[in-house]
Amino acid sequence: MNASLKRVRIPLALLSLTALTTACGGSDGGSGSVSEEVTVWMYPVIGDPKANADYWDGLEKAYEKKYPDARLTIEQQPWDNRDEKLATAFSGGKGPDVVVLQPDQIPQYLANDALAPVDGAIKADKDTFLPSAIESLTHDGKVYAAPIYHTITTTLYNKKLLDRAGITQPPATWDDIKAAAPKLKAEGLATLDYSASNEATLNLNFYPLLWQAGGKIFSEDGKSVAFNDDNGVEALTFLTDLYKQGAVPKSALTNTNVVADQALGKQQVAMGFTNSGIDFGVAEEAWGKENVVVGAPLTGEKQAAFGVPGALGINAKGNLKGAEQFIEFMTQPDQIISLNKQTGFLSPRTDVTVPSDNAYAKQLQDALSVVVPGESSPVARQLMGILAPEIQAAMTGKKSPQEALDAAAGQADDLLARQR
């Protein structure tokens, strides 16, 4: 979700902020406020609104039962404009004591000294978390958010459409997709769904292709971008060639990571490659469960999938003691299991498996082995706004893949230089 992660207007993400008032803000540890009072900004990580509200209401009661002197307030905030609202709250010295963050949000708040490390809250359990999750949340040797769930995206196929084209094995590699494209075109079908709208997150469209090509968004030192090297050109050429052939539907140009009302949901395209559990449910309703096939992440030069830890960060100007206590509580096995049974997400801990009767649970769990939780930078979100229009320009033939990526790289490197 995020991943940020949104699909069919319901967050994945996986990933995943209303009224900014003193009453809904975090307590200021230096103002004589009660140390046990903790405010948390939570997003609707559970798709059903009533189930989401019921779960967090119950968790407040469970926490206050365990800590009788504590007062916990979990405020439900919308995903829309969350960065702007959180930045405004932090800059005003307000905001929550604890907030859900994704890895690519952390650098921008660290740059403003808005976050405190969470190492103290997870010191007893740090080695039990997925290494990729902890690494993505670590800066200068300190961890700045504690994982409580993990999202993953992978391939989703429409068996009925593949059968119509005589394709018995779902395309698992880039070469398989190239081979399947003419067979599906002969049946009036596209092959690969894609979300090329400027409003769509690149974590759910171009970036996974870039990683599968062996490329990276940023250079090793983070001072420049790397997406316009040979690997990046290979990824964008793969995409633009498919689009020109009609193997990526025309609707891709306006698709904002939505499934239900777009080509994949309407059975006009045979597969998606960055789909989540929410999408699988949408597909079952639209196509019939017997036609839904969930596979492993795509392989180009390498296999890679986007997925992020949803993690709890601490407001550096908030109630640090209370925030650490809440995070320690939320990262324990009981809470990890209860939360993710509700969300449908995966456990971020290697020693905790969330029981599930989901038919696709094993595929999702296995996909964690090749997960890439994005690449962190203070300009990560701004970069998407630069790169997305250039990808559209390449898809529509206005620029070559190299020209488009070079144009975006020039703007991105200027942006990075201004951060120094």
Side-chain angles (χ1 to χ4, degrees), residues 14 59 159 170 178 218 221 227 261 280 291 305 354 377 383:
L14 57 232
L59 189 122
K159 183 178 184 298
K178 293 174 186 177
F218 298 100
D221 62 9
F227 57 70
D261 299 322
F280 307 155
N291 291 313
V354 179
S377 167
L383 175 58

Side-chain angles (χ1 to χ4, degrees), residues 89-329:
F90 279 165
S91 65
K94 300 177 182 177
D97 299 301
V98 179
V99 63
V100 176
L101 298 171
Q102 292 178 351
D104 64 351
Q105 292 177 283
I106 291 175
Q108 62 184 309
Y109 296 124
L110 281 182
N112 296 321
D113 298 320
L115 298 178
V118 301
D119 298 85
I122 63 170
K123 60 184 176 182
D125 299 299
K126 182 177 177 180
D127 292 341
T128 70
F129 291 103
L130 288 166
S132 62
I134 289 295
E135 181 181 348
S136 70
L137 300 164
T138 299
H139 297 267
D140 296 326
K142 296 179 180 179
V143 184
Y144 282 92
I148 56 171
Y149 64 82
H150 210 297
T151 70
I152 188 67
T153 58
T154 191
T155 49
L156 170 63
Y157 306 92
N158 188 322
K159 183 178 184 298
K160 180 171 68 175
L161 302 190
L162 294 177
D163 288 348
R164 189 192 304 176
I167 299 170
T168 56
Q169 290 294 324
T173 69
W174 287 15
D175 287 341
D176 290 346
I177 289 173
K178 293 174 186 177
K183 298 177 183 178
L184 287 159
K185 186 175 183 178
E187 298 297 323
L189 300 167
T191 304
L192 186 71
D193 203 15
Y194 190 83
S195 303
S197 166
N198 290 341
E199 286 72 47
T201 172
L202 270 63
N203 286 326
L204 293 176
N205 50 50
F206 183 67
Y207 287 166
L209 296 179
L210 176 65
W211 299 323
Q212 289 162 14
K216 288 178 62 65
I217 304 167
F218 298 100
S219 63
E220 290 298 328
D221 62 9
K223 295 180 179 179
S224 61
V225 294
F227 57 70
N228 61 326
D229 65 5
D230 290 346
N231 297 318
V233 173
E234 181 183 5
L236 188 51
T237 300
F238 170 71
L239 175 63
T240 55
D241 284 352
L242 291 175
Y243 184 75
K244 290 173 187 175
Q245 298 165 21
V248 168
K250 297 292 185 184
S251 60
L253 295 179
T254 56
N255 190 350
T256 57
N257 300 134
V258 174
V259 171
D261 299 322
Q262 293 292 332
L264 187 61
K266 292 179 177 180
Q267 303 195 70
Q268 298 166 349
V269 61
M271 65 176 288
F273 71 108
T274 59
N275 295 94
S276 70
I278 290 174
D279 299 335
F280 307 155
V282 172
E284 286 183 357
E285 291 183 13
W287 313 343
K289 190 172 183 178
E290 70 279 5
N291 291 313
V292 175
V293 176
V294 175
L298 274 183
T299 300
E301 294 297 320
K302 60 186 292 188
Q303 190 178 34
F306 175 70
V308 291
L312 299 176
I314 297 175
N315 181 350
K317 295 181 180 178
N319 174 2
L320 303 185
K321 179 181 176 182
E324 285 193 351
Q325 180 173 276
F326 175 73
I327 288 175
E328 183 178 2
F329 173 82

Side-chain angles (χ1 to χ4, degrees), residues 27 54 61 86 100 115 142 150 171 219 248 281 286 316 357-358 405:
S27 56
D54 289 347
K61 294 180 175 65
L86 187 56
V100 176
L115 298 178
K142 296 179 180 179
H150 210 297
S219 63
V248 168
D357 55 5
N358 187 318
L405 294 177

Side-chain angles (χ1 to χ4, degrees), residues 19 52 95 102 212 215 246 267 303 342 363 416 419:
N52 189 65
Q102 292 178 351
Q212 289 162 14
Q267 303 195 70
Q303 190 178 34
Q342 292 287 329
Q363 291 97 317
L416 283 164
Q419 308 302 308

Side-chain angles (χ1 to χ4, degrees), residues 49-61:
K50 184 179 186 305
N52 189 65
D54 289 347
Y55 177 82
W56 294 110
D57 286 347
L59 189 122
E60 282 184 353
K61 294 180 175 65

